[in-house]
Structure formats: structure tokens, C-alpha cells
Amino acid sequence: MLIFTKIAELRAFLKGIKDVNQSVGFVPTMGALHNGHISLISISKKACNITVCSIFVNPTQFNDKADLKRYPRMPEKDAAFLEKAGCDVLFMPSVEEIYPTEKKETYDFGYLNTVLEGKYRPGHFNGVAQVVKRLFEIVAPDKAFFGSKDYQQVMIIKALVKQMNSNIEIVNCPILREADGLAMSSRNTLLSKEEREIASLVPKIMQEAKQIALTTGIHEAKQFVSNEILKIPDMKLEYYEICDADLNELTDTKQVKNAIALIAVFVGKIRLIDNIMFN
Ligand code: PAF
């Protein structure tokens, strides 16, 4: 696996690849890699000739500075994990390399930026768009692969690609879960043993709520989630919503069959998100 830290060197290498008509798949990450990331690498490897993974903890997408400070960083372990997975190229730029000036770009994602993660993490998607646009311009991939645990992020990135008039294909990949159902996330490494046990209740509550929504109603499912989480010490609900595919909140129980339920909770200080499709 080749490792680049400088944009110019990565670009020169990728030019050689594109000159011989090889396709490039891209997996942008913030590191602390887990099997969920590795599944994106595997999907990219099947779809493209060359797979590039980036590791960059993007400061502009953290609305909470303490969250940025505690975000897990383990570059050597990550590089070994990627090498083993057969990743071709790892790009690990510095903050100065990605943001040589302080210039702040602003994006308009309309409604999408006003709900769920957009509502609770002001500025977050603007930061995600800023870094993803920059990375897309550097790597210029044919396809880019994202995990659907961040369902709303995938929608934002699809909207970004449209705004960029780019034809990069955004591939939405399935959520990978631990044996007890917890969605894989870099943030799971920050949980204490007790918190990790508590966190595994989230997918179970989501599953039960799905059955309640399908058999009884949306209101009852929401009530169930909020009551269950209130009972768990050290867990705090930020939101639980049942939405259509465009993230419009559903109120009519008849539409629930094709819904997606999305949740954000705090377990201690650690914020976790998850979602579940109803169909
Ligand atoms: O999902 C992530 O890890 C990040 O938001 C991304 C897409 C790599 C941008 O920093």
C-alpha cells in the first residue's frame, strides 16, 4: 500500500492511474477504522481498479471542540488494517495541507440541513461538505463509498456532488453491526465497558419500536423509545424520528412500511447515531 501525505504527490500518482484508464474508488474516513470501514474498502475493490482511502480528522465538522479533541486517533493501527484489507493507497494529509487558508466555504442544503443531525449539530454538514469537496477535487474518484449509518450524510454528499456538477457516483453501503447489534462506529472505542453494554440496548430498542410503529403507530413507537431511554441511567435521547426516504417526518401510520427510523443518543459523553429501515 502506498501512503501519501502531500496532495501533489497523490495527484501525480493518480494521474498515472487515470492515464491508463484505471477506475478509482474512494473511501474517505476519519480513521479509528473498524470492520465497517473495511467493508467499504472491499466493496470499492470489487467495483474499481484502485482503491484510495483517506484518513483525516476534519476539524471543521466538529461543532463541539471537546468532541474533536477526544476523537480517537490511531494512524499506525489504521494503516496496518488497510494494508491487510488490500487497500492500494492511503492518503493522510495534515490540516495545513487540506486547509492552506482559513477561507470558510458555505453550502446551502436547504431542508436537509435543518433536521436531525443538521438541527442538533449546527455547522456539521457544512464542514463535511467542505472537506468532502476538497477530497473529491484531490482524488477525483469514479466512485466514492459511504456507510449508511450516516444516512443523512450520504444524502448531503449526493446533494453536494449535484451542486459540484460532478459525476462521481456515491455508493451507499450497508451498516455493519457488532454481534450484539450495536452499529460499528469509531466512537464505540471511547465507551467504557459499562457504557458499551448500555449502548447495545440502542439497536434492541430500535427493533422493538419498529414493531410498535408497524403494528400500533408512530406516536406509540416514539413514546416507547423515549420511555425506554429515560429508564437507562447514563443514556440521553437527542432525537428519535420516523421519516420517509427524504427525511420528512412521518405522521401518517399508513406510510410507515417504507419508513426509516433515525436516532441520536448520548451514552455518557459519547454521542452515537443509528438508523433502521422498516421495509
Ligand atoms: O463519515 C466520516 O467519517 C466523515 O464525516 C467524512 C465523510 C470522512 C468527512 O470527514
Side-chain angles (χ1 to χ4, degrees), residues 78-132:
D78 285 345
F81 206 5
L82 287 171
E83 175 102 60
K84 201 166 154 230
C87 181
D88 302 292
V89 175
L90 169 57
F91 180 45
M92 298 175 90
S94 64
V95 172
E96 296 70 33
E97 191 73 4
I98 293 294
Y99 299 122
T101 67
E102 296 265 300
K103 199 178 119 232
K104 194 160 164 21
E105 283 159 31
T106 41
Y107 299 86
D108 183 4
F109 295 113
Y111 170 77
L112 207 46
N113 198 27
T114 64
V115 292
L116 307 168
E117 294 298 288
K119 177 171 165 192
Y120 286 93
R121 301 186 69 190
H124 168 65
F125 285 133
N126 202 77
V128 169
Q130 190 180 9
V131 78
V132 170

Side-chain angles (χ1 to χ4, degrees), residues 130-150:
Q130 190 180 9
V131 78
V132 170
K133 179 167 182 260
R134 182 97 176 104
L135 291 167
F136 279 178
E137 283 165 354
I138 296 165
V139 178
D142 297 281
K143 297 173 194 265
F145 301 84
F146 294 87
S148 55
K149 180 169 74 68
D150 298 293

Side-chain angles (χ1 to χ4, degrees), residues 28-30 37 56 58 61 124 128 131-132 146 150 153 157:
T29 80
M30 297 206 299
H37 294 113
F56 179 68
N58 173 36
Q61 73 187 72
H124 168 65
V128 169
V131 78
V132 170
F146 294 87
D150 298 293
Q153 170 171 277
I157 289 166

Side-chain angles (χ1 to χ4, degrees), residues 32-33 72 74 77 185-192 196:
L33 303 179
M74 46 192 85
K77 197 170 158 210
S185 164
S186 304
R187 289 174 197 271
N188 293 351
T189 60
L190 299 172
L191 298 167
S192 68
R196 173 64 188 77

Side-chain angles (χ1 to χ4, degrees), residues 134-252:
R134 182 97 176 104
L135 291 167
F136 279 178
E137 283 165 354
I138 296 165
V139 178
D142 297 281
K143 297 173 194 265
F145 301 84
F146 294 87
S148 55
K149 180 169 74 68
D150 298 293
Y151 180 89
Q152 194 175 6
Q153 170 171 277
V154 180
M155 291 181 76
I156 289 278
I157 289 166
K158 285 186 175 166
L160 171 73
V161 161
K162 252 195 199 148
Q163 288 179 20
M164 288 169 69
N165 277 325
S166 157
N167 44 28
I168 298 171
E169 187 189 329
I170 304 304
V171 186
N172 195 357
C173 305
I175 300 179
L176 249 69
R177 294 182 181 279
E178 303 289 353
D180 61 4
L182 181 66
M184 289 187 186
S185 164
S186 304
R187 289 174 197 271
N188 293 351
T189 60
L190 299 172
L191 298 167
S192 68
K193 200 166 161 274
E194 293 73 29
E195 288 171 341
R196 173 64 188 77
E197 257 170 50
I198 291 172
S200 72
L201 296 172
V202 174
K204 295 181 179 77
I205 294 171
M206 298 276 282
Q207 284 294 351
E208 255 189 86
K210 171 179 165 177
Q211 291 318 318
I212 295 171
L214 289 169
T215 53
T216 315
I218 291 175
H219 173 76
E220 289 77 2
K222 286 186 176 178
Q223 201 58 53
F224 170 78
V225 171
S226 111
N227 289 344
E228 286 303 295
I229 290 187
L230 265 179
K231 284 188 224 157
I232 307 170
D234 280 339
M235 195 183 289
K236 195 173 141 258
L237 180 64
E238 197 160 65
Y239 63 75
Y240 170 78
E241 293 295 350
I242 299 178
C243 299
D244 68 10
D246 294 326
L247 295 184
N248 299 298
E249 209 182 300
L250 288 179
T251 46
D252 181 354

